[in-house]
């Protein structure tokens, strides 16, 4: 199994690590049982543009790299544009992932969606095309 | 950043001893005779194979005619278990093994289950130790074989095989032990262990890859595994890997000779690394038995982080180690050994194994102790589990319910 140079770059020098104080939306997905947990923080302006994105991730190299790339891609996007970021977008931006790591890119997409869902809940708005996130299982119970 | 050159994965494999290489070279060049022949070229290779047989036998207190060369530890495990089971099919179709065996044993037992045998997988305690009492309780009138490893490859726990052997002898059941991790590193005496079958592999004790041996106690009947020619006293067919066998014999005799000194030296390095990690890294837990442990094995779980990401950081600084994390193995389940020890998933995902060998020095331990804490801190810094712990929303170890 080998990672692309882009994946290694985003793992060794992850962009947007951290948290946003008073974030507009926070989404946590994954579970420790599978070995990956991602938490995405989004700062969304009144114009509906994503001004900032940060993340914290417990997981392998691919999990860190996909979190880093997903937060990079989402910055400056409108909510609708953000919804168009899929696991495939993230994967392509990283020059691909080993097959066994594709689920990490799915997790990145889910984390973005979960943060947007949280934003919508907090502001009592409906975002077209956004479904509620799957429940998080910190304790490994499924 | 200073790049190191640290090899701390000696349980995966070891570098070939230069003297073993030197012993092998003639058999890769001018001494190519097939030992089965009758002429001078054949006689000299046959003699060298038999010399290696004596070297292996001497190192485990066996007789040379009880040593059979194979293409490695996996073949020897397969042969021992399938061969013992098959030879007893008429009377006894039950096998006892442990949940923490190497896959060469576990997958062989699973194969036999599909062929009509029944297998008991004994649990282990939190240290990874199999209790001899549990072996005795599991023995049935139709038990053919008990297979318990001498030392575990992941957590380094040394199993009470000698006590297990007393029980198998009492009940007239065969005992196989996979000594792949132990051979060359801790003293082995097949008589004291009460072992009937014992597996060793050359590349774990500075011999070449692709060669191993099975000890079969005199008088113990097991079915043939490799069919063909009359090599190995008609019990293991196939032209001998002469160079490999010679290299294995040489490496093992060196290991046996150096064992007392190396055992003390490497154990001291191990303990220094363990106490160093415990002193500098909070929320780190040693996996495996603290004392009944292979001299070179250090296995830790670091809370809030995942093993593969730590391996990558270590690799970037020239440090080679391994992990029980699922992500490093290509499957989604963490190590079966750590799971059998009752270690929760996320702790298993955050496990790292460092295995020391004859080339490692105190400077290596110091170098690792210098680079490791900041790496752990860095990964924790970006871990949501650590954030939850700091903010009081999570625990050090979330306990996975089974």
């Amino acid at each position: 199994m080998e990672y692309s140079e882009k994946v290694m770059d985003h793992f060794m020098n992850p962009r947007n690590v951290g948290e946003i104080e008073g974030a507009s939306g926070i989404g946590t997905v994954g579970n420790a049982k599978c070995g990956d947990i991602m938490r995405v923080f989004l700062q969304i302006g009144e114009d509906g543009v994503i001004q900032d994105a940060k993340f914290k991730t417990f997981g392998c190299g691919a999990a860190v790299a996909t979190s880093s790339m997903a937060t990079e891609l989402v910055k400056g996007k409108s909510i609708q544009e953000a919804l168009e970021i899929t696991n495939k977008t993230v994967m392509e931006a990283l020059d691909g992932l080993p097959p066994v790591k594709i689920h990490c890119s799915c997790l990145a997409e889910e984390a973005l969606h979960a943060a947007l869902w949280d934003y919508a809940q907090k502001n009592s708005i409906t975002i077209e095309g956004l479904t509620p996130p799957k429940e998080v299982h910190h304790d490994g119970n499924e | 950043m200073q790049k190191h050159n640290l090899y701390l994965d000696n349980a995966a494999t070891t570098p070939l001893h230069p003297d073993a290489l030197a012993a092998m070279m003639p058999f890769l060049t001018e001494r190519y005779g097939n030992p089965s022949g009758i002429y001078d070229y054949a006689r000299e290779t046959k003699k060298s194979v038999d010399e290696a047989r004596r070297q292996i036998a001497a190192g485990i207190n066996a007789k040379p005619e009880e040593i059979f060369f194979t293409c490695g530890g996996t073949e020897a495990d397969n042969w021992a278990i399938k061969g013992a089971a098959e030879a007893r099919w008429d009377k006894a179709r039950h096998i006892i093994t442990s949940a923490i065996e190497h896959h060469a044993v576990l997958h062989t037992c699973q194969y036999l289950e599909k062929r009509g045998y029944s297998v008991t997988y004994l649990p282990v305690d939190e240290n990874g130790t199999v209790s001899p009492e549990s072996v005795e309780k599991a023995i049935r009138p139709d038990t053919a074989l008990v297979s318990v490893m001498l030392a575990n490859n992941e957590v380094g726990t040394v199993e009470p095989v000698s006590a297990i052997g007393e029980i198998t002898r009492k009940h007239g059941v065969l005992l196989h032990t996979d000594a792949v991790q132990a051979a060359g590193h801790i003293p082995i005496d097949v008589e004291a262990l009460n072992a009937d079958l014992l597996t060793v592999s050359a590349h774990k004790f500075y011999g070449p890859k692709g060669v191993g041996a099975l000890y079969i106690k005199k008088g113990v009947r097991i079915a043939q595994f490799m069919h063909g020619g009359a090599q190995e006293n008609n019990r293991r067919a196939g032209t001998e890997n002469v160079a490999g066998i010679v290299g294995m014999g040489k490496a093992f005799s060196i290991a046996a000779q150096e064992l007392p000194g190396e055992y003390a030296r490497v154990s001291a390095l191990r303990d220094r690394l363990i106490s160093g990690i415990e002193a500098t890294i909070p929320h780190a837990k040693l996996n495996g038995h603290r004392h009944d442990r292979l001299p070179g094995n250090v296995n830790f779980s670091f809370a809030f982080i995942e093993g593969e990401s730590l391996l990558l950081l270590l690799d970037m600084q020239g440090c080679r180690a391994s992990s029980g994390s699922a992500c490093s193995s290509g499957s989604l389940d963490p190590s079966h050994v750590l799971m059998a020890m009752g270690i929760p998933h996320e702790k298993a995902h955050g496990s790292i194994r460092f295995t020391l060998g004859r080339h490692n020095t105190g400077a290596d331990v110091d170098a690792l102790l210098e680079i490791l804490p900041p790496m752990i801190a860095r990964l924790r810094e970006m871990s949501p589990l650590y954030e939850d712990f700091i903010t009081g929303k999570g625990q050090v170890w979330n306990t996975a319910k089974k």
Side-chain angles (χ1 to χ4, degrees):
Chain A
M1 191 193 72
E2 211 177 330
Y3 288 134
S4 71
E5 270 178 45
K6 273 233 176 101
V7 171
M8 280 312 289
D9 175 38
H10 276 263
F11 169 70
M12 290 306 290
N13 311 293
R15 282 63 149 180
N16 314 312
V17 175
E19 41 201 293
I20 297 173
E21 200 79 33
S24 317
I26 304 173
T28 306
V29 297
N31 65 62
K33 189 174 176 180
C34 300
D36 296 297
I37 296 175
M38 283 184 199
R39 181 171 296 163
V40 166
F41 303 81
L42 296 178
Q43 190 60 48
I44 302 172
E46 280 179 13
D47 55 357
V49 172
I50 296 163
Q51 295 162 339
D52 199 9
K54 297 255 187 225
F55 80 91
K56 286 208 165 177
T57 289
F58 161 86
C60 61
V64 173
T66 54
S67 315
S68 167
M69 185 52 91
T71 49
E72 276 292 270
L73 290 172
V74 82
K75 277 198 279 186
K77 298 271 190 337
S78 71
I79 289 169
Q80 275 310 319
E81 285 169 335
L83 275 178
E84 283 163 28
I85 298 171
T86 64
N87 79 301
K88 230 177 138 198
T89 324
V90 175
M91 239 167 70
E92 278 165 11
L94 286 168
D95 294 339
L97 285 172
V100 65
K101 300 292 187 183
I102 290 172
H103 72 104
C104 295
S105 61
C106 299
L107 216 53
E109 177 190 321
E110 285 171 28
L112 286 182
H113 288 187
L116 288 170
W117 179 263
D118 181 48
Y119 166 73
Q121 293 291 102
K122 279 178 181 161
N123 293 279
S124 309
I125 55 168
T126 312
I127 299 172
E128 210 183 311
L130 185 65
T131 50
K134 290 175 211 159
E135 260 192 79
V136 186
H137 301 279
H138 276 293
D139 60 357
N141 251 335
E142 277 182 294
Chain B
M1 254 193 281
Q2 190 200 345
K3 180 138 177 163
H4 297 273
N5 185 15
L6 298 174
Y7 183 71
L8 301 173
D9 203 14
N10 286 279
T13 194
T14 55
L16 186 61
H17 195 293
D19 292 355
L21 175 65
M24 291 168 74
M25 280 312 280
F27 301 94
L28 295 165
T29 50
E30 71 269 20
R31 298 178 70 178
Y32 54 81
N34 187 323
S36 298
I38 193 108
Y39 39 77
D40 51 353
Y41 284 14
R43 285 196 301 273
E44 64 186 12
T45 52
K46 175 90 172 63
K47 221 177 110 192
S48 301
V49 166
D50 287 337
E51 169 60 17
R53 203 184 308 282
R54 276 191 293 277
Q55 287 168 319
I56 303 294
I60 62 171
N61 191 27
K63 300 176 193 77
E65 61 270 26
E66 295 173 319
I67 303 299
F68 298 86
F69 293 110
T70 66
C71 74
T74 293
E75 186 199 321
D77 281 343
N78 269 264
W79 181 16
I81 296 167
K82 289 176 187 166
E86 205 182 308
R88 281 150 194 79
W89 169 257
D90 290 342
K91 298 190 288 271
R93 297 180 189 177
H94 177 233
I95 297 160
I96 297 167
T97 188
S98 85
I100 60 157
E101 296 298 310
H102 189 275
H103 285 138
V105 168
L106 283 182
H107 289 170
T108 300
C109 288
Q110 285 160 14
Y111 164 82
L112 288 172
E113 277 184 290
K114 288 191 197 124
R115 311 287 294 185
Y117 293 87
S118 66
V119 180
T120 300
Y121 299 93
L122 296 174
V124 293
D125 67 13
E126 70 277 11
N127 292 322
T129 307
V130 178
S131 94
E133 294 74 40
S134 74
V135 174
E136 183 143 39
K137 274 191 202 140
I139 289 178
R140 315 190 312 209
D142 65 338
T143 303
L145 172 77
V146 172
S147 179
V148 173
M149 68 203 325
L150 190 46
N152 182 266
N153 48 310
E154 289 186 34
V155 297
T157 299
V158 176
E159 301 297 338
V161 172
S162 184
I164 291 170
E166 281 175 27
I167 292 161
T168 53
R169 283 279 147 86
K170 190 169 90 187
H171 292 269
V173 171
L174 283 187
L175 175 65
H176 167 249
T177 185
D178 175 344
V180 166
Q181 289 292 329
H185 305 288
I186 61 172
I188 295 180
D189 178 333
V190 290
E191 294 300 326
L193 289 174
N194 302 302
D196 300 296
L197 301 155
L198 181 141
T199 297
V200 298
S201 170
H203 75 103
K204 307 290 190 184
F205 50 77
Y206 312 96
K209 292 170 182 66
V211 58
L214 180 63
Y215 156 80
I216 307 176
K217 189 179 173 61
K218 203 172 174 194
V220 168
R221 200 170 50 87
I222 68 169
Q224 204 166 341
F225 184 60
M226 295 290 256
H227 297 91
Q231 292 88 355
E232 298 295 284
N233 201 20
N234 229 342
R235 295 184 83 171
R236 197 280 186 185
T239 299
E240 297 85 346
N241 171 7
V242 178
I245 288 167
V246 168
M248 178 177 179
K250 183 71 185 172
F252 198 56
S253 68
I254 296 168
Q257 199 184 327
E258 293 181 349
L259 200 147
E262 274 297 280
Y263 183 90
R265 189 189 72 87
V266 178
S267 300
L269 288 181
R270 172 198 68 193
D271 294 341
R272 184 162 148 192
L273 180 54
I274 290 173
S275 54
I277 287 173
E278 287 176 336
T280 53
I281 302 173
H283 314 303
K285 271 192 182 170
L286 180 70
N287 294 319
H289 200 287
R290 194 170 284 270
H291 308 294
D292 295 335
R293 186 178 195 98
L294 285 172
N297 180 289
V298 176
N299 187 313
F300 268 93
S301 284
F302 298 106
F304 319 118
I305 69 158
E306 194 277 330
E308 191 216 67
S309 49
L310 181 57
L311 286 187
L312 289 172
L313 290 181
L314 285 164
D315 179 43
M316 292 304 282
Q317 292 221 20
C319 175
R320 295 97 190 166
S322 77
S323 168
S325 143
C327 281
S328 59
S329 68
S331 82
L332 287 180
D333 290 318
S335 140
H336 68 282
V337 175
L338 298 175
M339 300 308 286
M341 288 161 63
I343 289 166
H345 273 85
E346 71 273 27
K347 195 178 153 196
H349 282 299
S351 82
I352 295 281
R353 180 187 73 178
F354 302 105
T355 42
L356 303 156
R358 67 191 301 267
H359 296 283
N360 294 118
T361 62
D364 293 346
V365 171
D366 293 342
L368 177 60
L369 286 172
E370 197 185 306
I371 61 175
L372 190 60
M375 288 176 183
I376 306 268
R378 174 180 166 174
L379 291 171
R380 283 180 177 166
E381 205 46 49
M382 67 165 87
S383 167
L385 293 174
Y386 190 57
E387 180 191 316
D388 289 350
F389 168 70
I390 296 294
T391 56
K393 280 183 268 177
Q395 303 156 311
V396 180
W397 308 112
N398 291 305
T399 37
K401 295 174 191 97
K402 282 200 165 175

